[in-house]
Amino acid sequence: MSDPESDDRAMPDDPVAPASTDAGGASPRSAESDPPAFWSTPRAWLLLVAAGLLAWIYQPLFFPATHQDLAIQSEEFFFEANEAAGAPVLLLAAWLLYRRSHYLDVFRAGGALLPGAGILVASVALYAWGHYTGAPDLQLMSVIPLLFGVVVALGGTAAARAFWVPIVFLGFALPIPPVLLSAAIFPIQLMTAEYAGTILNLIGVKSLVSGDLIFRPENRFIVIETCSGVRTVVTLTMLTVLLIDLFERRGRHAVILLLLVPFVAFATNGFRVVSLVLNPHSSVASIHNLQGIMMLLVGLTGIYLLDLGLERVLGSAEPGADAGAYGRIAGTDRTRERDGLLAPGLVVASLVVILVIPRAIVPYVPASGLAEMPKALIERAFADAPGREIPPDFDFRGSIRYLAHHDRAMRFEGGRVNVFLGVANEMLRTHTILSPRLAWPQSGFFALEDEQVDLDDDARGVRRVLLERSGSRELSYSWYLRAGSVAGEWLRQALALDRSPFERDDHILAVRISVPLVRGETDEEGAEERIRRAWRRLAPELEGYAPLRGARKR
């Protein structure tokens, strides 16, 4: 005899009990009462329209216009420090999204409409500002808050936690901020050259490192920006994120692995430079790129081995079932799933506004051009000093770009003086003139002394560097006029302020005055005095030089 309260037979209202049928074998629940399939609901059609608009708007920002440009951009993405390629990043982000497809049920819990609307408004504003200032990178960046706004509006914070990795991963499609890149890349070039020279000497290959040059009896090799390893750090970080996601690493394991990436990249890039120095065919582009890809794979292998080591040391294991618990899922709320049209309607409306922006907003036209070129100004200021132009070394200059510049060697007051004047093009989004490289006249020099001094009230914080190469020395004074701090200039460029009515009054000027010291000369005080007199001759000519639109309005 069984207890009716503990009877485990299915009761009529048991959700798992088999449905009873009438005499004709038909279910008493009418087919018309079943909720329609999701893809036949208005909500689904709104989401399909949103997906189409999203692809239409952002496709030109992720993919170049031609297949040739796509191939070149994708190749340079792995080596060029200031290059960005949206196509490969988009494909990898799509893979990360696919790996989270089993979290789609979080959207059944309902979204956070007001926070999602706020994020969507911010993304529309960012896209509009990017169009107004002619900054396609800001327009591309707007896709990140846009996607966050979509997932928050449709699925709340649970959806944002489930899908934040593929969304943030799209940031790898953006170029490295050039002001920050320029501040770091030249010192890294010098360290890479020193490191590669040490490896060469350890393996018995005689070499001498001088600045960014590696001298061998047979030839010499310059460590240019593509050999610095900066791009390798970014690419290897991107691949490490994929590895962390694939192996489902969490917490400190993932953080430590990401922190180790720059060291692994630097170590492997040094061996890449060694392979380029020793390979007589390294000048062939395909071989050069192949060596880079091989060392990138070596770096990824190193990251994998470190991952295994961290797994043993930290006792990392596969995450438990609760690791994917991103929130309560209201799976029985069919009415919300079927009739919740406000959130997808808001997403479609935001995308329609973005689509209209290029037709409704006229881009700002910033000032351009110079009334006088640097060459004419220097020749006028030093009319009594015969001299010649020093041709630029573009391999050494790298990604630095000027609106105009001139480098001149002169006989000034009984001695040699070199004067360099460069005018910045603040409208550029991927380049800058702000770099510690300014103190160096050309490749191959290394610093014996490096300090900050003041020339006068208009030239404070001047970098004084005593340089040497192959026994010859040069005393260099260099500084930037009208430039703010690294953080301030990064912020101005990031916000595209110089492509808007908030543009600065005058162009930034790069100034370097140096004196080559003849072999055996020790009179640095005389050289410094000659530099000061040259600056006193040049300074009055720079007052009001190279104004921007703001200055012309005053």
Side-chain angles (χ1 to χ4, degrees):
M1 184 173 180
S2 60
D3 187 349
E5 292 184 359
S6 62
D7 193 352
D8 55 1
R9 289 176 296 176
M11 301 301 291
D13 59 346
D14 193 334
V16 298
S20 61
T21 58
D22 59 14
S27 172
R29 182 178 296 174
S30 172
E32 286 84 343
S33 65
D34 290 335
F38 173 75
W39 294 112
S40 63
T41 63
R43 178 185 176 92
W45 284 103
L46 281 174
L47 292 176
L48 284 175
V49 171
L53 289 173
L54 186 69
W56 187 5
I57 293 168
Y58 287 98
Q59 181 270 336
L61 297 171
F62 276 101
F63 295 92
T66 65
H67 296 294
Q68 292 82 359
D69 291 340
L70 177 61
I72 294 173
Q73 188 186 68
S74 299
E75 180 178 315
E76 291 181 346
F77 173 73
F78 290 96
F79 306 108
E80 294 289 341
N82 60 334
E83 183 58 80
V89 173
L90 183 62
L91 293 176
L92 294 174
W95 179 76
L96 290 171
L97 180 64
Y98 170 76
R99 283 180 47 80
R100 287 158 176 75
S101 57
H102 56 289
Y103 294 142
L104 291 175
D105 281 348
V106 297
F107 293 107
R108 296 171 61 186
L113 191 61
L114 288 180
I119 300 173
L120 287 172
V121 169
S123 68
V124 172
L126 180 59
Y127 187 95
W129 180 255
H131 171 73
Y132 178 66
T133 58
D137 56 317
L138 294 183
Q139 292 176 284
L140 179 59
M141 185 188 295
S142 69
V143 75
I144 297 177
L146 178 68
L147 292 177
F148 269 117
V150 170
V151 298
V152 170
L154 296 176
T157 56
R161 289 165 56 197
F163 295 98
W164 73 271
V165 172
I167 295 175
V168 173
F169 190 84
L170 292 173
F172 284 107
L174 299 170
I176 303 174
V179 173
L180 302 182
L181 176 65
S182 254
I185 195 167
F186 185 58
I188 294 176
Q189 282 178 250
L190 299 179
M191 288 189 293
T192 300
E194 191 68 34
Y195 172 49
T198 301
I199 296 175
L200 287 168
N201 286 313
L202 286 175
I203 63 177
V205 179
K206 293 183 178 180
S207 61
L208 174 66
V209 177
S210 180
D212 55 345
L213 285 177
I214 301 177
F215 292 95
R216 295 180 59 212
E218 301 85 357
N219 54 22
R220 68 174 190 171
F221 183 88
I222 178 173
V223 179
I224 59 176
E225 289 184 349
T226 55
C227 298
S228 66
V230 172
R231 190 70 214 184
T232 304
V233 173
V234 177
T235 307
L236 196 57
T237 300
M238 184 178 68
L239 297 177
T240 302
V241 171
L242 299 178
L243 183 146
I244 288 172
D245 191 77
L246 181 63
F247 294 158
E248 298 185 358
R249 303 305 187 189
R250 298 289 187 271
R252 59 178 180 173
H253 185 132
V255 172
I256 292 174
L257 203 59
L258 286 173
L259 292 177
L260 290 174
V261 168
F263 301 98
V264 174
F266 182 80
T268 55
N269 185 69
F271 284 97
R272 179 198 174 201
V273 172
V274 170
S275 69
L276 292 173
V277 172
L278 297 180
N279 189 345
H281 305 292
S282 294
S283 57
V284 180
S286 58
I287 296 177
H288 192 103
N289 293 340
L290 179 61
Q291 288 175 288
I293 293 174
M294 290 178 61
M295 286 302 167
L296 191 62
L297 294 176
V298 170
L300 185 60
T301 302
I303 291 293
Y304 174 70
L305 295 176
L306 287 172
D307 175 73
L308 294 179
L310 286 174
E311 183 180 23
R312 291 189 176 186
V313 172
L314 300 178
S316 305
E318 292 187 3
D322 58 343
Y326 293 105
R328 182 176 178 273
I329 300 174
T332 60
D333 193 352
R334 292 286 185 177
T335 302
R336 175 178 290 178
E337 181 179 348
R338 183 174 65 253
D339 300 330
L341 303 180
L342 192 55
L346 180 63
V347 172
V348 171
S350 302
L351 290 167
V352 170
V353 172
I354 290 179
L355 193 63
V356 173
I357 283 172
R359 297 163 179 81
I361 298 178
V362 178
Y364 182 77
V365 179
S368 61
L370 288 172
E372 184 180 27
M373 301 301 288
K375 179 179 180 180
L377 185 146
I378 292 177
E379 289 179 345
R380 178 165 49 81
F382 297 92
D384 58 340
R388 60 177 179 83
E389 181 177 0
I390 302 175
D393 182 352
F394 292 105
D395 283 337
F396 173 69
R397 181 173 300 174
S399 60
I400 296 175
R401 295 291 184 273
Y402 295 95
L403 178 63
H405 61 86
H406 183 66
D407 196 359
R408 192 166 189 82
M410 300 175 291
R411 294 289 300 179
F412 175 70
E413 297 191 3
R416 295 186 298 170
V417 173
N418 297 340
V419 176
F420 174 85
L421 176 62
V423 182
N425 185 354
E426 293 87 358
M427 291 187 295
L428 293 178
R429 300 292 299 155
T430 56
H431 301 86
T432 182
I433 70 169
L434 302 176
S435 168
R437 197 188 308 264
L438 176 63
W440 269 247
Q442 53 186 303
S443 294
F445 282 97
F446 61 92
L448 297 175
E449 300 175 8
D450 193 343
E451 59 182 337
Q452 299 287 325
V453 299
D454 294 333
L455 280 178
D456 57 27
D457 292 339
D458 295 327
R460 294 185 175 276
V462 174
R463 188 178 185 187
R464 177 191 180 278
V465 185
L466 180 61
L467 300 163
E468 182 173 348
R469 184 182 69 174
S470 301
S472 62
R473 295 186 177 187
E474 186 158 337
L475 184 62
S476 167
Y477 279 59
S478 62
W479 68 102
Y480 292 98
L481 292 172
R482 311 164 186 169
S485 63
V486 172
E489 292 299 332
W490 166 77
L491 186 62
R492 285 194 64 88
Q493 191 171 52
L495 297 178
L497 296 183
D498 288 313
R499 304 172 69 103
S500 75
F502 301 103
E503 63 186 351
R504 66 182 80 229
D505 292 337
D506 308 280
H507 284 290
I508 298 175
L509 301 179
V511 180
R512 182 181 66 247
I513 305 177
S514 61
V515 172
L517 303 177
V518 297
R519 189 179 300 275
E521 182 177 355
T522 58
D523 186 13
E524 292 184 17
E525 291 185 1
E528 289 174 348
E529 182 58 31
R530 200 179 312 152
I531 290 174
R532 293 178 185 276
R533 292 198 300 269
W535 167 240
R536 286 194 290 268
R537 177 78 68 88
L538 181 64
E541 306 297 333
L542 298 181
E543 294 181 6
Y545 175 67
L548 276 165
R549 181 175 306 227
R552 291 199 292 268
K553 287 181 178 179
R554 291 181 299 185

